[in-house]
């Protein structure tokens, strides 16, 4: 899904070629991120079912805090803004908790929803 270079017809062809190459790399990285998130959510769905089966709470604030600290450190090592990494993980955690709550509700009601 590389963006067209039609808006810059007067640009140097070598610049346009480099821009296309970089955008193609970005598109590949975006696809990898989506696939990695899908795998992560498959795992968290299993966690949600296990928690529901054993009547454990959907959220685990201690684990969440450790994960945020861990991700911030990873971000710093990778030269990524730790605040951005924290916001990103916080968003994911909120979605996971929402799924876990739904799975727990389904288990309590005897239904077999997807937890989404």
């Amino acid at each position: 899904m590389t963006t067209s270079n039609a808006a810059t017809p007067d640009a140097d062809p070598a610049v346009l070629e480099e821009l296309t190459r970089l955008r193609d790399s970005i598109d590949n990285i975006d696809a990898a991120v989506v696939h990695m998130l899908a795998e992560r959510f498959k795992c968290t769905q299993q966690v949600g079912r296990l928690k529901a089966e054993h009547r454990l709470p959907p959220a685990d604030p201690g684990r969440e805090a450790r994960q945020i600290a861990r991700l911030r450190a990873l971000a710093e090592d990778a030269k990524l803004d730790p605040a951005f990494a924290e916001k990103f993980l916080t968003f994911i955690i909120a979605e996971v908790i929402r799924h876990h709550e739904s799975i727990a509700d389904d288990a309590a009601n005897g239904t077999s929803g997807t937890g989404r």
Side-chain angles (χ1 to χ4, degrees):
M1 184 173 123
T2 302
T3 304
S4 169
N5 292 321
T8 55
D10 296 331
D12 180 335
V15 171
L16 294 178
E17 184 177 327
E18 179 69 0
L19 185 60
T20 297
R21 185 189 68 75
L22 291 167
R23 287 177 173 166
D24 286 345
S25 291
I26 290 167
D27 292 349
N28 288 337
I29 293 165
D30 288 346
V33 167
V34 167
H35 288 284
M36 293 298 297
L37 284 171
E39 284 301 310
R40 188 185 197 287
F41 277 98
K42 285 178 189 174
C43 291
T44 61
Q45 290 293 330
Q46 292 174 9
V47 168
R49 287 190 291 275
L50 187 62
K51 284 180 170 184
E53 181 181 327
H54 295 278
R55 292 184 173 89
L56 297 171
D60 183 343
R63 165 124 171 108
E64 294 158 21
R66 289 188 303 275
Q67 285 297 95
I68 289 169
R70 180 178 157 271
L71 196 70
R72 285 184 67 92
L74 288 169
E76 286 180 22
D77 290 346
K79 307 295 187 245
L80 178 67
D81 179 6
F84 169 77
E86 182 174 347
K87 287 177 194 174
F88 182 71
L89 185 60
T90 300
F91 174 78
I92 291 171
I93 289 170
E95 188 67 8
V96 167
I97 291 169
R98 188 179 69 77
H99 289 183
H100 289 185
E101 289 170 344
S102 178
I103 292 168
D105 288 346
D106 289 346
N109 296 324
T111 60
S112 60
T114 63
R116 288 186 177 176

